[in-house]
Amino acid sequence: MQFQPFEQGIEVNGRTVHSVVDGLGAFQNLAKRYLVPEGIGTEASGKLELDLDGWYPHDAWLRAFARIAKDIGEETLFQIGRSIPKNAAFPPSVVDIHSAMQAIDVAYHLNHRKNRAVMFDVATGAMQEGIGHYRYEAVKDPPSILVVCHNPYPCAFDRGIITAMGQKFELTSRVSHEDEATCRAKGGSTCTYRVTW
Ligand SMILES: [Zn+2]
């Protein structure tokens, strides 16, 4: 299922909300209309103002994001996903397509808090559970990477993120969806994507 939080007490950071709003382009007025009533950001001089270093309730964010997604459709969701890695900073350990795919889950947890604590501790490498994962699996035959998304975000958005992360290091890389039957957009719990190049 898309947009259903796994747990309560989770927050998302303002930068993540901003990245999605930024990716909306011509549809930015939708963001204001759905986010402000959920308590995410404020309206000033007709514009949405977000605290980039602030934290917002994850369930409210998913509710607003679900409404935005319904209005903009799958293709725009994919384009927003594609724009996410462009705005993100990555650790020096990200040097190729394999490390890039592994970094998605870390970045995801760095952008969420649980009980006021960031869900990935850079110093210890400890990760808290509660928002699902972007699981990485290297495949030998055919040479490829599987990314298994078990998280509350929408399928088309995640496909965009994975596509952009792949093309950062392998320009010809492609992403296909495996096991369509379990797809979150169809009420399933997991989307599996195969990255080839
Ligand atoms: Zn899917």
Side-chain angles (χ1 to χ4, degrees):
M1 285 289 279
Q2 304 183 138
F3 304 111
Q4 298 292 319
F6 291 3
E7 280 186 25
Q8 297 304 309
I10 306 282
E11 294 165 300
V12 59
N13 69 9
R15 273 173 215 287
T16 298
V17 176
H18 178 260
S19 293
V20 171
V21 172
D22 202 42
L24 280 166
F27 297 103
Q28 288 207 8
N29 59 329
L30 284 176
K32 185 177 64 185
R33 197 190 313 157
Y34 293 135
L35 290 171
V36 174
E38 289 285 2
I40 299 172
T42 52
E43 193 176 341
S45 313
K47 284 195 162 180
L48 176 71
E49 290 215 337
L50 292 165
D51 177 2
L52 294 186
D53 296 316
W55 296 86
Y56 298 104
H58 191 229
D59 53 351
W61 162 235
L62 289 174
R63 270 196 305 275
F65 196 4
R67 292 189 188 114
I68 294 167
K70 202 168 165 229
D71 285 359
I72 61 176
E74 297 265 306
E75 180 55 30
T76 309
L77 266 185
F78 173 72
Q79 293 303 338
I80 294 172
R82 275 192 72 135
S83 73
I84 298 286
K86 267 186 228 153
N87 301 323
F90 291 98
S93 60
V94 175
V95 291
D96 59 14
I97 194 164
H98 287 276
S99 47
M101 293 300 160
Q102 287 169 293
I104 297 175
D105 201 39
V106 169
Y108 178 51
H109 284 78
L110 279 172
N111 288 316
H112 291 78
R113 284 202 314 193
K114 179 176 175 175
N115 301 326
R116 308 274 155 145
V118 175
M119 295 179 76
F120 182 79
D121 186 327
V122 179
T124 65
M127 190 178 269
Q128 290 196 71
E129 295 299 322
I131 52 172
H133 290 281
Y134 293 78
R135 295 251 185 242
Y136 157 93
E137 190 187 323
V139 179
K140 281 217 166 72
D141 189 22
S144 53
I145 293 170
L146 291 179
V147 181
V148 182
C149 290
H150 176 63
N151 67 59
Y153 286 91
C155 175
F157 175 75
D158 278 346
R159 190 164 50 81
I161 293 176
I162 294 163
T163 299
M165 284 303 277
Q167 290 176 351
K168 226 173 147 74
F169 293 97
E170 299 290 344
L171 267 179
T172 60
S173 66
R174 293 161 43 94
V175 175
S176 57
H177 198 306
E178 306 262 299
D179 297 330
E180 292 276 357
T182 66
C183 176
R184 293 166 293 171
K186 295 174 182 159
S189 62
T190 306
C191 296
T192 302
Y193 309 89
R194 185 182 294 275
V195 186
T196 48
W197 66 95

